[in-house]
Amino acid sequence: MKRSSYCLVASILAVSVAAIGGDTIAQVVVETPAVVEAPVVVEAPTVVETPVVAAPAVIEPVVVSPTYIPVPAPQQEVITPAPSTGGVWVAGHWDRTPDQWVWNQGAWVQPPFSNAYWTPGYWQHQNGQYVWEDAHWAAANQGVVVAKPVTVPEAYEEIVPAAPAASTAMTWQPGHWEWRGTWVWIPGAYVATAVPAATWVNGAWVEGVDGWHWMPGHWQE
């Protein structure tokens, strides 16, 4: 190495030890480089969901008959006093199984919605045979509009049973056909007499501006 190179190195070291012309000592600070740690990646565990197996739906057997089977006469029953919570009296009614008739006792119940009415089981005439429709709640406005009236089937002959024991007067409401997109036979039954002077009027077609509407059978003064 040449002498000039040694002198240059000596000069740099001298500057690093003391400032020229002053008392301040200049120090060369060598910072240790920060160590940047690689982030640790924690993988989320794979969640395997247990499949939910739905319980198989209970399918009620469809009761079909090649001929109309008359619904038995209602059994006599005592209408109990209404509970404090109110409710609607659902009279005892027959249900049909593939093999026999089953009687359901009357009871006070709460309708599922404001304009609901109770419909006992009935036979529907479909494709030349009869299909049993179980008792159920239905909406009060069952209006169906047709282009022209559909002929009402001939009413079945019924034997009027003795009136059931009840705390209020009862009157016989005759069996009749109702139109609900198909003809439905409503068996006769005793109902509470709300208006003693009322008379029963069978359902009929009424012409409107948009077609023919079925007016259900009803009581009128």
Side-chain angles (χ1 to χ4, degrees):
M1 180 181 291
K2 294 180 179 182
R3 182 178 181 84
S4 59
S5 298
Y6 285 112
C7 293
L8 178 61
V9 172
S11 299
I12 295 173
L13 292 175
V15 172
S16 64
V17 173
I20 298 174
D23 298 330
T24 303
I25 296 176
Q27 297 179 347
V28 177
V29 179
V30 179
E31 295 183 354
T32 303
V35 178
V36 180
E37 297 182 357
V40 178
V41 179
V42 179
E43 295 184 358
T46 303
V47 178
V48 179
E49 296 184 357
T50 303
V52 178
V53 180
V58 178
I59 301 176
E60 296 293 337
V62 178
V63 180
V64 179
S65 174
T67 59
Y68 177 79
I69 304 175
V71 181
Q75 296 183 6
Q76 290 188 349
E77 59 184 359
V78 176
I79 299 178
T80 59
S84 58
T85 55
V88 175
W89 175 259
V90 173
H93 56 279
W94 291 101
D95 275 337
R96 182 71 188 182
T97 70
D99 304 317
Q100 61 183 352
W101 292 103
V102 177
W103 175 255
N104 294 276
Q105 296 288 342
W108 291 96
V109 298
Q110 292 290 342
F113 42 91
S114 60
N115 64 333
Y117 73 94
W118 178 255
T119 300
Y122 54 83
W123 291 108
Q124 291 193 61
H125 188 260
Q126 297 179 357
N127 301 323
Q129 60 184 2
Y130 293 87
V131 180
W132 179 255
E133 179 72 23
D134 289 333
H136 60 277
W137 289 99
N141 49 350
Q142 293 272 345
V144 177
V145 181
V146 297
K148 61 180 181 179
V150 182
T151 304
V152 182
E154 185 178 353
Y156 296 116
E157 294 184 2
E158 294 183 314
I159 298 176
V160 180
S167 58
T168 58
M170 305 289 287
T171 186
W172 176 255
Q173 179 172 292
H176 55 283
W177 290 101
E178 293 293 356
W179 175 258
R180 295 175 184 169
T182 183
W183 288 113
V184 175
W185 174 253
I186 308 299
Y190 278 98
V191 296
T193 305
V195 183
T199 56
W200 174 258
V201 178
N202 285 324
W205 292 105
V206 178
E207 188 174 11
V209 294
D210 54 349
W212 290 85
H213 299 252
W214 176 256
M215 175 66 70
H218 57 279
W219 293 96
Q220 71 176 21
E221 296 186 61

